[in-house]
Amino acid sequence: MKIETIELRRVHMPLVRPFRTSFGTATERVVTVVRVITADAEGWAECAADARPLYSSEFLDASDLVIRDHLVPRLQAVGDRLSAELVASALEPVKGHRMSKAVLETAILDAQLKTTGASFGNHLGAVRDSVPAGVSVGIVNSVPELLDVVAGYLDEGYLRIKLKIEPGWDLAPVRAVRERFGPDLLLQVDANTAYTLVDARHLALLDPFDLLLMEQPMKEDDLLGHANLARLISTPICLDESIGSARDAATAITLGACSIINVKPARVGGYLEARRIHDVAAAHGVPVWCGGMLETGIGRAANVALAALPNFILPGDTSASNRYFAEDLTAPFELENGHLRVPTGPGIGVEVLSDVLDSVTARTDSIRF
């Protein structure tokens, strides 16, 4: 593949409602959209790093810098032999920065597949033409407000509800949602590392609510703590931030630190490593599901394709476009009987709306290859 230009666009996407987690509150999604231009195609991807280093050590300004000054030069050194399959090895000498590496690999893979006419889903091994959609519900000001929000999402057709929790906002909202919407609601919680093993007895009070899982209750580097917690509560532990690679997944499973894994392609360095995590988990009988990072339609298209692989058993955070944005960067993803359709076109399978992209672009940097 002969790359001619790599373009970085800083984009500001207003959210339809504030999204609060234990990290803080977001009112817009700031993202770097990457376009890889080759002689034959254009590939698109978005960097999932947040504006601030709260979810992980990566943040958007640093990501742009490392892409420009450290990652792209290593890809340039590969020359015309470059393919998506070679990106990870070419960038391996640069420590960390998985989200920055992921956005480059994804954009290159999109261009590569568009050249051959293959879709993301077919390339990754999708077995379904649509995937069940869940929705992540942020922390709100009161339990009555939460119940109204959840009711609205269920009316829209979402098949699973995930509640963000933190100390002081856990038992009451979970109890209220379970009591209001009954035992058949697929319900799970996400703590985003807000607790410690000292809180085990308190977290065990969530067991009677028959949750699908408790996501990342403790710090990302505390695998032994999660393994100990898993022995003290009956709610299944799911790891998110702790899993950065297939090797991490194998280690966590072996230690008993989790029985479910949330796969976020950006967090693990791209969709090819995400597929390897899927395969490792499947070999151990551990189900996975696809997490979300408030993606625009560009990232959502690729996530939906990944979520169609066979071991993605649980509904993911692959919500419809209108969950986050009044206007998306692609044609909107819409719920159909609680599912999102897997794109079938070449590459990520969606077209970027250039007029919308231009209207939300704050700056553009072009790197000649």
Side-chain angles (χ1 to χ4, degrees), residues 40-329:
D40 303 306
E42 291 183 354
W44 294 87
E46 63 182 271
C47 183
D50 287 331
R52 297 178 295 166
L54 302 178
Y55 170 79
S56 77
S57 60
E58 295 186 66
F59 63 101
L60 211 51
D61 286 343
S63 175
D64 287 358
L65 184 149
V66 79
I67 287 172
R68 184 180 63 246
D69 293 352
H70 298 282
L71 302 184
V72 168
R74 291 185 177 275
L75 297 182
Q76 289 170 324
V78 178
D80 293 349
R81 297 184 301 108
L82 183 62
S83 68
E85 290 73 19
L86 294 178
V87 169
S89 59
L91 302 183
E92 186 175 10
V94 177
K95 306 301 182 186
H97 298 285
R98 289 189 178 102
M99 293 183 182
S100 303
K101 294 173 180 179
V103 71
L104 290 173
E105 181 187 89
T106 304
I108 290 169
L109 181 58
D110 183 35
Q112 183 174 308
L113 294 177
K114 284 174 177 172
T115 301
T116 64
S119 71
F120 244 66
N122 285 340
H123 184 76
L124 295 175
V127 296
R128 294 181 286 269
D129 58 13
S130 67
V131 298
V135 66
S136 181
V137 181
I139 297 166
V140 295
N141 294 321
S142 68
V143 167
E145 180 183 353
L146 174 68
L147 295 176
D148 287 344
V149 171
V150 171
Y153 287 136
L154 293 176
D155 288 343
E156 289 180 35
Y158 285 102
L159 301 177
R160 183 270 286 155
I161 297 294
K162 180 172 85 172
L163 302 180
K164 295 287 188 177
I165 61 170
E166 64 181 2
W169 181 263
D170 43 33
L171 294 179
V174 171
R175 178 184 295 111
V177 169
R178 180 57 83 200
E179 290 178 352
R180 167 77 176 273
F181 300 103
D184 295 332
L185 172 65
L186 299 180
L187 181 63
Q188 63 193 58
V189 295
D190 182 8
N192 289 118
T193 75
Y195 298 86
T196 70
L197 195 58
V198 172
D199 300 306
R201 183 172 295 179
H202 178 75
L203 292 174
L205 297 176
L206 292 170
D207 287 343
F209 300 112
D210 192 26
L211 300 174
L212 282 174
L213 57 90
M214 181 185 299
E215 184 179 351
Q216 198 67 46
M218 299 187 295
K219 296 298 183 184
E220 61 270 18
D221 59 356
D222 193 6
L223 288 181
L224 288 178
H226 282 98
N228 288 328
L229 179 63
R231 290 190 285 269
L232 297 173
I233 67 175
S234 61
T235 302
I237 299 295
C238 170
L239 291 181
D240 172 1
E241 289 95 325
S242 294
I243 308 300
S245 66
R247 183 173 59 231
D248 289 346
T251 300
I253 293 168
T254 301
L255 289 174
C258 66
S259 53
I260 301 168
I261 291 175
N262 172 357
V263 181
K264 289 179 178 172
R267 189 193 66 233
V268 304
Y271 289 85
L272 302 183
E273 184 67 15
R275 182 172 59 184
R276 285 188 279 272
I277 293 173
H278 164 277
D279 294 346
V280 166
H284 287 82
V286 171
V288 301
W289 56 282
C290 186
M293 299 286 288
L294 282 66
E295 288 89 353
T296 73
I298 295 171
R300 195 174 313 278
N303 281 356
V304 170
L306 179 72
L309 270 64
N311 195 42
F312 281 86
I313 295 171
L314 301 174
D317 287 341
T318 47
S319 305
S321 295
N322 66 2
R323 161 64 182 92
Y324 298 112
F325 310 114
E327 189 171 34
D328 208 340
L329 298 182

